[in-house]
Amino acid sequence: MKKKIIALVLAFCMVVSMSACTQDGDPATTTPAGGTQAGDQSGDASGSGSNEPTPAEYVPSGAQLIAGKEYGTDWQTLYDQFGKDITIDDVKEDPNTGLAYIEKDGQTYELGLDFLSMAMVMNTKADGKDEDDVYAEWWKYYIARWNEKLPEIPLYSNEYYDVYNSAIKGVSEHPTNPYWSPAKGLLDWTSEKDDNSFIIGGTTDLSGLFRYSNFGGNTPTSANLDVDNLVNGFLETVTATKDGSYVKNDQVVKDMQETDNEDGSKTFTIEIFDDLKFSDGSAITAKNYLYQVLAFSTPVAAQAAKKDHQAGVTLVGYDDFSKFNGANEGESYDEKNPDAKATKVFTGLRLLGDYKFSVTVNGDYLPYYYANTYASFSPVYKDVWFGDCDIDDEGEGVFITGDFYAMNGESYTMAAHISESAANTDTTYPYAGPYVVESFDAATKQAVLTLNPNFKGTYEGVKPTIAKVVYSTVVSSTQLEQLKSGEVDCLQGITGGAATDEAIAAADGSDGKFVYTHYARAGYGKLGMRCDLGAVQFDEVRQAMAYCLDRAQFAKDFTGGYGGVVDGPYYTGSWQYKAVSNSMQLNAYDTSTDTAISVLEAGGWIYNEKGEAYTEGVRYKKIPGEYASDRDKNLKSMDGALSTVEIDGDYYMPLVLNWFGTAENEFSDLLVTNFLNGESFKNAGFYVKNTLGEIGAMFDEMYEENVYGETYSGVPTYNCFNFATGFTSAIYDFSYQVSPEPYWFVNNSSYYIIDDADIYMLK
């Protein structure tokens, strides 16, 4: 089945997996009762003391199961095999675990993260059932599976406090909320400062990716996303509202028609108003709404971003268009499907007039729970991605004109232009949003934005009045002093007990000079993982890490009582959670070093570096040579002290956690105490080492690619990271973000996890 991206910046094991390893020719199967509760297992910290451990039969990780095997030939996803035929009525829930299963062809299949994330948004139709109820039930199963696999460890879910200079008016009448940050709220506010300005302070550095904050990565930084929204946003055809939902933007769309086609596809025909303008006064036309989706569906932009964003992947004709390289018109590109031929024409996109266009969604992606978002397109100035090139339509679909695909050796000439444009931080090209970037100081990480006088208004018809918005970096430890001195007018998203107490006290004692608002955060701080690297590729390791952390105490220490902890990737204020929380079965991973040890022992971490029985120090796991990948064999602790050891053709992997933490914040400080230096981790047999640095460098190490700079070492090293997940929209869709399919795993994975239950062996 073809795949898609829904770009949601969201930017997110109760049972020890006992799934049997399958033989060639057999599908991967499990049984509902095939697990043992980790808390019920026995074991002691010293091990048996014998020189001849007797482990259970080796259970490879999901990554190891498919290493060296070809997708589509040797294996595919379980959803590809059965997904389209499954309804919620086919699902059985294990009463002891809350996990979901189906029966097909006499086999019982456990449903993994990929299957459930897909079914959650694609399989919501069921006879006699409300679609929202079906969605919520799939959501419940996804959360239960996530809680069992634990691809990251939530450590706190908190209240957010935003503190303002009281010269900024309208905050109480138009408050912020989890889906509407100060960078959006300011559109309704006014400034009584002499220069009519508003200075926002954020603890995340700006990197300058304002034209397309997700360029080259999976997760934009919150700061880049804020500026991106202010200079490019709010003229979408289908736009986000203050409550996080999506509606047709009546300021932009004059008319929108939906047509269900006989082949199962759906066409959205959209006519925009003719009074939309860029910041330089030039007209925004139908073409401008198609430039970005076209550019980022080509190999040219993929080369520029070092990542294939596949912007138009849900649309009819995408595959043939995306394979066109400028010189292979009409040529076959798929040995398994010789009728598939590359073409310069994107048949699913049509230009129907200066202010009218249509998009046709491939039936493979329908029905879709959030179908109206397929009609969401944003305008961009032509020259940003196309330079002197353009687009046209001669009746069959849109195509690119000019020398867009011209080559310079092995590189596309336009790739350099696209890379340069992505990093543009001035008015070289006009903007469509309510503000324009007047300047950006890469040294101080400060951006100055000024009003776009041609902005028509938000979906509510609001035009901002604050003349200048400055986005500035603040340091947590000194942010209140920066507020008091007038360096910033707003501290957004204040979190942490001490910081929150100080902020409230400062506002309450300011004689009205400062005010604050607060709301429950839709998101959580976490210890994230690269779940395909080293020890954390194994479920039992991630589970044991959670048992070694006192998450409740961590949340209390960090939030100072202004929050708590969640047991999965959810927001307790969401409608989904409220609908099913009473029937959810989630493991809270109550702190217990003994349980952590039991989980590790059950998973085979029972050796020392000599391949003998573990007694003390760092644990090792025996990986049979047939399963050991190059990543397994080359694993090292970041200090070089420990590495995988080969003994008689097998490989013994150390229980190493290489952590990259973000510098100068209370979150990392607490992790140094509880994680890096945690006695529970040492007693359980972990070896934890760390580096502290900027968040961009951290993401580059996590992506194993230079996205935010030239900091990636080139050697996969780090498998633990601390940052946060924020649900910036009420839309909850993780489809294709937990897929083991190779392309999507590399380009769109949220956790780099391969759930073994999602693997269906073809031979």
Side-chain angles (χ1 to χ4, degrees):
M1 178 179 177
K2 305 301 185 289
K3 304 298 184 184
K4 71 173 181 67
I5 291 178
I6 297 294
L8 305 173
V9 186
L10 306 174
F12 319 150
C13 295
M14 180 165 64
V15 179
V16 175
S17 177
M18 302 295 286
S19 303
C21 178
T22 63
Q23 301 297 317
D24 285 351
D26 294 333
T29 62
T30 59
T31 57
T36 303
Q37 288 288 356
D40 294 338
Q41 295 171 350
S42 62
D44 69 62
S46 62
S48 66
S50 168
N51 287 330
E52 298 180 357
T54 55
E57 180 181 356
Y58 183 75
V59 178
S61 69
Q64 292 174 338
L65 276 174
I66 60 176
K69 293 182 170 62
E70 183 179 353
Y71 177 78
T73 300
D74 300 313
W75 69 279
Q76 65 181 21
T77 68
L78 187 68
Y79 189 84
D80 283 346
Q81 180 68 20
F82 298 126
K84 279 290 187 178
D85 300 326
I86 298 299
T87 72
I88 196 67
D89 293 329
D90 297 317
V91 179
K92 309 297 182 184
E93 179 179 347
D94 187 314
N96 296 317
T97 66
L99 298 179
Y101 300 83
I102 59 172
E103 293 181 358
K104 291 288 290 185
D105 304 330
Q107 301 271 19
T108 299
Y109 297 89
E110 186 175 21
L111 300 184
L113 290 170
D114 176 60
F115 192 106
L116 293 167
S117 67
M118 294 291 295
M120 188 196 314
V121 293
M122 298 291 189
N123 298 48
T124 55
K125 303 291 187 182
D127 291 341
K129 291 190 175 183
D130 181 82
E131 190 171 7
D132 290 346
D133 293 340
V134 175
Y135 173 92
E137 196 166 353
W138 283 118
W139 185 88
K140 181 184 76 169
Y141 292 139
Y142 174 79
I143 298 298
R145 183 66 179 179
W146 193 101
N147 175 262
E148 191 244 350
K149 301 300 283 188
L150 208 66
E152 60 189 17
I153 303 174
L155 292 174
Y156 66 87
S157 182
N158 54 319
E159 288 267 314
Y160 263 164
Y161 279 73
D162 299 333
V163 184
Y164 303 89
N165 178 345
S166 60
I168 306 302
K169 302 298 184 181
V171 175
S172 59
E173 295 83 2
H174 304 282
T176 50
N177 65 55
Y179 307 127
W180 203 255
S181 69
K184 293 180 177 180
L186 67 86
L187 301 180
D188 287 298
W189 304 338
T190 59
S191 172
E192 293 185 348
K193 295 171 61 180
D194 291 341
D195 62 351
N196 191 17
S197 71
F198 180 44
I199 309 171
I200 303 176
T203 55
T204 302
D205 285 343
L206 294 169
S207 73
L209 288 179
F210 305 150
R211 295 287 179 175
Y212 182 16
S213 58
N214 206 37
F215 182 81
N218 298 338
T219 307
T221 67
S222 58
N224 284 339
L225 183 60
D226 279 347
V227 176
D228 184 345
N229 284 333
L230 284 170
V231 298
N232 300 311
F234 302 99
L235 289 186
E236 302 89 352
T237 50
V238 173
T239 191
T241 67
K242 291 177 179 177
D243 65 3
S245 60
Y246 278 73
V247 299
K248 176 170 66 71
N249 191 342
D250 290 332
Q251 293 294 308
V252 170
V253 177
K254 183 177 182 180
D255 183 64
M256 180 185 294
Q257 300 293 326
E258 298 181 28
T259 303
D260 293 321
N261 304 313
E262 291 184 2
D263 63 358
S265 64
K266 177 189 284 285
T267 298
F268 294 90
T269 302
I270 302 168
E271 183 179 2
I272 61 173
F273 288 108
D274 62 4
D275 59 351
L276 305 173
K277 297 183 183 300
F278 284 106
S279 56
D280 67 347
S282 60
I284 294 176
T285 69
K287 283 186 176 183
N288 298 110
Y289 280 88
L290 300 182
Y291 286 133
Q292 183 143 317
V293 67
L294 274 162
F296 286 93
S297 296
T298 68
V300 181
Q303 186 179 93
K306 300 178 183 178
K307 171 188 169 69
D308 192 348
H309 284 283
Q310 292 208 337
V313 72
T314 59
L315 305 180
V316 167
Y318 167 81
D319 284 343
D320 295 344
F321 175 78
S322 68
K323 297 300 188 297
F324 179 68
N325 61 20
N328 63 339
E329 178 71 35
E331 295 181 11
S332 298
Y333 58 84
D334 186 348
E335 294 180 359
K336 299 177 182 178
N337 181 16
D339 292 332
K341 297 179 180 180
T343 177
K344 69 176 184 179
V345 178
F346 201 147
T347 56
L349 292 174
R350 295 296 318 279
L351 271 172
L352 304 175
D354 289 342
Y355 298 97
K356 190 174 184 179
F357 64 96
S358 71
V359 297
T360 300
V361 181
N362 190 323
D364 285 346
Y365 303 103
L366 297 165
Y368 178 53
Y369 185 72
Y370 298 110
N372 69 325
T373 62
Y374 283 142
S376 183
F377 290 80
S378 300
V380 65
Y381 192 71
K382 176 187 76 70
D383 293 1
V384 174
W385 306 133
F386 283 86
D388 294 332
C389 302
D390 207 338
I391 63 176
D392 202 353
D393 186 334
E394 295 179 349
E396 300 297 324
V398 177
F399 59 92
I400 301 172
T401 63
D403 58 356
F404 185 80
Y405 292 94
M407 301 291 290
N408 181 11
E410 296 183 357
S411 300
Y412 290 105
T413 303
M414 282 297 296
H417 171 80
I418 291 172
S419 295
E420 183 178 346
S421 294
N424 174 258
T425 57
D426 58 28
T427 55
T428 298
Y429 311 110
Y431 298 89
Y435 286 86
V436 304
V437 179
E438 180 179 276
S439 65
F440 172 63
D441 189 322
T444 63
K445 313 294 185 185
Q446 184 180 84
V448 177
L449 315 181
T450 55
L451 277 171
N452 171 7
N454 295 306
F455 178 67
K456 183 179 180 181
T458 68
Y459 74 100
E460 294 179 317
V462 173
K463 295 182 180 182
T465 62
I466 297 176
K468 181 170 70 173
V469 175
V470 181
Y471 206 105
S472 185
T473 300
V474 296
V475 178
S476 297
S477 59
T478 60
Q479 61 183 350
L480 281 177
E481 295 307 314
Q482 291 176 274
L483 178 70
K484 293 175 182 177
S485 67
E487 292 180 53
V488 293
D489 296 313
C490 169
L491 299 176
Q492 59 176 331
I494 293 177
T495 187
T500 302
D501 286 340
E502 291 173 5
I504 292 173
D508 289 345
S510 69
D511 196 25
K513 186 176 181 180
F514 302 111
V515 296
Y516 65 86
T517 62
H518 66 96
Y519 48 86
R521 177 187 189 176
Y524 52 90
K526 66 191 182 185
L527 184 60
M529 284 167 275
R530 173 101 196 191
C531 296
D532 67 334
L533 182 60
V536 300
Q537 71 183 286
F538 299 101
D539 298 348
E540 72 272 2
V541 171
R542 302 190 300 273
Q543 295 169 340
M545 292 168 65
Y547 284 121
C548 285
L549 286 163
D550 189 340
R551 298 191 306 129
Q553 187 62 49
F554 190 102
K556 182 178 180 181
D557 291 342
F558 183 74
T559 68
Y562 300 103
V565 67
V566 292
D567 297 319
Y570 54 79
Y571 166 45
T572 57
S574 69
W575 74 266
Q576 302 99 320
Y577 180 83
K578 293 176 181 178
V580 300
S581 59
N582 289 336
S583 61
M584 293 173 70
Q585 299 185 58
L586 302 180
N587 187 354
Y589 291 97
D590 293 330
T591 308
S592 171
T593 305
D594 287 343
T595 302
I597 291 169
S598 296
V599 169
L600 290 169
E601 289 181 340
W605 298 88
I606 56 177
Y607 298 93
N608 63 20
E609 73 280 4
K610 298 179 180 179
E612 299 171 347
Y614 173 82
T615 57
E616 62 181 358
V618 180
R619 292 180 181 273
Y620 283 69
K621 179 183 179 100
K622 178 182 177 180
I623 301 175
E626 64 185 293
Y627 289 114
S629 67
D630 287 342
R631 290 168 74 87
D632 297 333
K633 297 173 184 177
N634 297 325
L635 177 73
K636 293 183 179 180
S637 59
M638 56 168 292
D639 60 1
L642 301 179
S643 61
T644 298
V645 179
E646 181 183 1
I647 302 175
D648 297 330
D650 294 323
Y651 294 85
Y652 291 77
M653 176 184 288
L655 191 53
V656 164
L657 303 176
N658 291 331
W659 164 45
F660 196 117
T662 48
E664 296 188 61
N665 63 66
E666 187 181 354
F667 187 12
S668 292
D669 293 343
L670 271 177
L671 279 171
V672 168
T673 300
N674 294 278
F675 177 42
L676 179 66
N677 299 326
E679 288 299 316
S680 291
F681 282 91
K682 294 178 182 177
N683 292 337
F686 285 93
Y687 188 80
V688 186
K689 290 296 175 181
N690 84 316
T691 290
L692 296 178
E694 294 185 354
I695 192 169
M698 182 199 75
F699 278 127
D700 284 352
E701 292 291 340
M702 186 176 74
Y703 296 146
E704 297 178 3
E705 182 66 72
N706 282 314
V707 175
Y708 293 102
E710 298 297 326
T711 59
Y712 173 52
S713 65
V715 178
T717 301
Y718 296 93
N719 54 9
C720 297
F721 312 87
N722 66 287
F723 54 112
T725 285
F727 301 111
T728 57
S729 164
I731 289 179
Y732 194 102
D733 178 5
F734 270 81
S735 58
Y736 306 103
Q737 296 183 56
V738 284
S739 174
E741 183 178 339
Y743 178 87
W744 290 100
F745 182 81
V746 171
N747 289 288
N748 202 45
S749 183
S750 289
Y751 318 111
Y752 298 98
I753 189 171
I754 296 177
D755 189 334
D756 55 342
D758 285 315
I759 300 169
Y760 184 91
M761 292 298 180
L762 297 171
K763 66 178 184 179

